[in-house]
Amino acid sequence: MIRLQQRPLFGFFLNPFGTTARAIELKGDHLLVTGRSMPAALSLADIGEAPALRKGVLGTTLSLQVSANRDVILRGTDHADACAFADTVQTAWVSFNTGAFDREAQRFDRLHTAVSGLARPGRYPAACRLAPVLNDARSLDATLLSKLKAEAIGTDRAERVTLVRKFVADPRAARATAISVFVAAELDRWEQFFDTVESKPLTAEQRLSVVVDEDATLVLAGAGSGKTSVITAKAAYLVKAGIRKPDEILLLAFAKNAAAEMSERVKARSGEPIVARTFHALAYDIIGAVEGSKPALADHATDDAAFSALIKQILKDLVHTMSAVSRAIIDWFSHFLVEPKTEWDFKTKHEFYTHMEQQDLRTLQGEKVKSYEELQIANWLYENGVAYEYEPVYEPKLPETGRRDYQPDFRLTESGVYIEHFGVRRQKMADGTEKLTTAPFVNRDDYLASMAWKREVHATHESTMIETYSYERQEGRLLTGLAEKIAPHAKLSPRPVDTIYDRVIEMKQVDTFSQLLGTFLRKFKSGGYSLEHCESASDKMKLGKRGRAFLAVFGPVFDEYQKRLAGRIDFEDMILRAAHYVETGRYLSPFRHILVDEFQDISQSRAKLVKALKGQHPDVRIFAVGDDWQSIFRFAGSDIHLMRKFGAEFGGTFDGEAGIHSTVDLGRTFRSVDQIAFAARTFVLRNPAQIQKQIVPAGIATEPAIKIVTTAKHEGVKALSDVLAALSSKLDPAGETSSVLLLARYRYLEPDLRDLRRRFARLTLSFKTIHASKGLEADHVVLLNADSGRVGFPSQIVDDPLLALVSPDEEAFQNAEERRVMYVAMTRARRTLTILASNARPSAFVSELLKDPAYGVSQPSGSDQDVHECGECGGRLLRVQGQDGRTWYRCAHSEQCGNFLPACSGCGVGLPRRVEGTLQSKCSCGKVHPTCPDCANGWLVERTGRHSTFLGCVRFPTCLGKAQLARKPSGRGVTGKRRR
């Protein structure tokens, strides 16, 4: 113990109020300070530098730095005493600092080695490797390093401490620099390996993906970019570089054949037997290891056709055995099979008609109706055994009105009573009265006049007309109201439920519904959802009665499905049970690197298993290779959001930042020429949720690579033959052959391959559904039947909004998955892609490809004719050949619109169109006609009536537009003075 204090007299003059220290005493590792406003004790750890002395007239002043802006000062001391005290304190201070450093020397040396090693890292500085270093460094910095003084510990130690503290201050920058240094050196070190590991040297992007070894690494592998080469090289590299032993590497594939191919390639490249497994094989092995034996697998687990057949059988059995459930099932097919949209959900006739055609509104009786509300009425009549005709010709012959034959919506066969359904809703006015309104694209005055005319017809001819209205459905009483109105005219005789269901089967409506149920069931189990969750989600998403109707069927189907497993397990059970064993530690994983192929197809349950394996050890890495542009297996449970949120789901944590991962874009395709590669990229990226990727094509096209051929009804076979003949004719006569892959959205569209192969022997022809074609390629691809419709392409079944109930995030973009299916189809082609589509109902995808010049698509055959818009609905007018041999123009929405125009009387081919700002319609041949005053499309031609000649619309009797015929004295021609 040593003490230094002010000399009494000097101290009074220098410190009369006691604001500085009066005495300081060194006691062990502390300085005891005496003074009115001074702290009682200071640790030597608080001293920033050695004591400083300053000799003055009134004695020596000693200063101790406690912090950057605060010193302890003792004035008026004896100089000799001050020097002795300062020396003693400095010795104690140095000893304290060096002692503290020495006590943590081993810990510090480990940290210093790890941090200094970042200058030339021997392993990839992954977050999981550096996070423990950072945590330890921060802890040591807080307790020791930040308190050590460079002067006390010496220059060498101070420099080492500074290096560690610099890492603590900015660890992200240090890690980023280390990664950059490592990658550059590693790419150079393994150059020969990358040149020879595959049959062709790896690209720069492929090499990068191999050496990057983050906690989670996502390799974006576009179509034909060589993803299998990347996985093979990665596994071989991990072994050859001594990073992992073969049994520490887990290779996961989705299909047996892919797993077998991967195992074979990895063994050939690495010389080590690293066996690739499917998720199901892995899960089965985990269950077997924990339980001692493997449970029996359900027969349908490995057979999609058997799974679909089981769902259909369950539906049928429920109809026959459970009355409450059978009613729910029939209600679904009668009223909720399609999305219940009405005219009020659309702004234009064209949009409404297009939607109706996509829905294929077919009644239980078999006819196609024009609106969802008509469908409800027709199915109610059928269910209740009320015989009816749809749109019959009104029986009393009406006098000549110029109109088409009157066809009421329904006629009850036995009573002859008619039903007219009017598309009007009620609107409350400010004065309390009600006003009838029509859909946005319907002329209200004309529609109300039509209603009045129909009432007048029935009154005149004393026929009975029952009226129903759109506002009744809006108010939830359309069918109850119909029952009341029809009661006096027809006796209800409800058909047995099983009879109705047999009719549903006959119409093949069960097939599409069972597909929806199967997809929903797999996602339901995979994601661990409950019916309560789905019901709540349905309410939030405002799916209304349709959502509730679906769940009323799904609940019993799911319960029955679970019962029929009878102790066996399906794939969802298998993977979830395995994940549970891993999560709870009953299974100890040996794996430190998990390599997953086709990652875009991963499901919630598979992701759960992967995360459980990763969570068992702090240094496990996930290496995922996939292409979100090719995620097309939602029906099998895949969830694209797991790839889009890859970092959040699988990434590591470093410096307080979660979701640490790395993404490598392979950025090229070895398959398609530029026109196809770029068009496919543009097409799929219309959905902004898809991950951006760069594409480098395989070559430059020297002629149009994408062609669209539109065909008339029943001419698809001839069109395909013409396309194949054209491809065959371009082959070198010396025996050259070419591969042609015929693709379709559905298997039933497969053409007669035997006949085609016989006729086009030099073409290697094959057929696949688009889903089955993944991984395949051909010189030429022909896509069949790219038409619109409920079972068209895009399919209106696959993207049913109900599937959002079992998806973490709904895909808001319309036809999101079907757009990816189209991308897969496009990218199977190396040299050319030909799309066959209906000229009347082309797919929305075909229309998009044709409209946007960015796609560079060659116009369809016969497209030299102009594309004309239907003036009645905004659709397209198609050129058709009439039975009389004349050319006509018919609206593509033939069942809804019915607009029909003759070709120009001058050339017999063209279509006169209105000249803006004039009263004339002009054909491309130059012939001019006066326009019709009543309709948007027609023009006037000379007609002869009972009493005179006049100008009438070419659309007569649909349009009654007229004009008077006047002749000029000069005889130069005919002019029309219009009248209505």
Side-chain angles (χ1 to χ4, degrees), residues 685-703:
L685 286 179
R686 293 292 190 208
N687 180 355
Q690 301 292 165
I691 301 171
Q692 291 275 341
K693 289 189 284 289
Q694 295 303 313
I695 294 295
V696 178
I700 306 298
T702 56
E703 59 181 353

Side-chain angles (χ1 to χ4, degrees), residues 45 69 87 135 153 181 249 316 323 334 469 478 492 509 881:
N69 54 5
D87 288 344
N135 292 339
I153 60 176
V181 170
I249 300 172
K316 185 174 183 179
S323 58
S334 298
Y469 312 95
L478 174 62
L492 304 187
Q509 292 182 342
Q881 205 75 19

